[in-house]
Amino acid sequence: MSRVRACAVSEVADGTAHRVMLGGTPVAVVHVGDDFYAVGDICSHQRISLSEGEVLCDTLEIECWKHGSNFSLVTGEPSSLPANKPVATYPVTVEDDDVYVEVDG
């Protein structure tokens, strides 16, 4: 895995997701309170961008806007159908005003 600058902290408002491309991989960087998470941006059910969906801060999940599947920001596991496969999760660090994500490659 390699550590890559994904975006600035200021680019991801609290309670939202921001899509970035890291080494050809679409990643949703999500901001919840003092924490940031990174998950694969493509729903495992259909090819829908998760970063366009709602961030569920109370349960640390992101919802696919198209069919309503929720994915854990911590494990990537879906908690509701129709998705039944997880999305990737990536380690995140924040330094100063930059968000870094560790991705394959």
Side-chain angles (χ1 to χ4, degrees):
M1 294 195 117
S2 60
R3 185 173 174 258
V4 179
R5 182 190 179 279
C7 59
V9 167
S10 59
E11 291 180 88
V12 191
D14 191 9
T16 68
H18 177 67
R19 179 185 169 110
V20 296
M21 291 295 291
L22 302 177
T25 302
V27 174
V29 176
V30 182
H31 184 182
V32 178
D34 293 334
D35 297 316
F36 283 82
Y37 303 87
V39 298
D41 188 49
I42 304 300
C43 177
S44 62
H45 171 243
Q46 288 191 339
R47 297 196 54 78
I48 303 297
S49 175
L50 292 177
S51 61
E52 296 175 15
E54 182 178 355
V55 175
L56 308 171
C57 297
D58 292 345
T59 57
L60 294 180
E61 294 178 317
I62 189 166
E63 180 183 48
C64 176
W65 64 268
K66 184 74 172 181
H67 297 107
S69 289
N70 296 335
F71 295 89
S72 168
L73 297 174
V74 178
T75 66
E77 292 289 334
S79 63
S80 56
L81 296 172
N84 58 13
K85 296 178 183 172
V87 295
T89 60
Y90 304 96
V92 176
T93 55
V94 176
E95 289 183 19
D96 299 322
D97 188 42
D98 295 314
V99 179
Y100 293 88
V101 176
E102 292 184 37
V103 293
D104 293 331

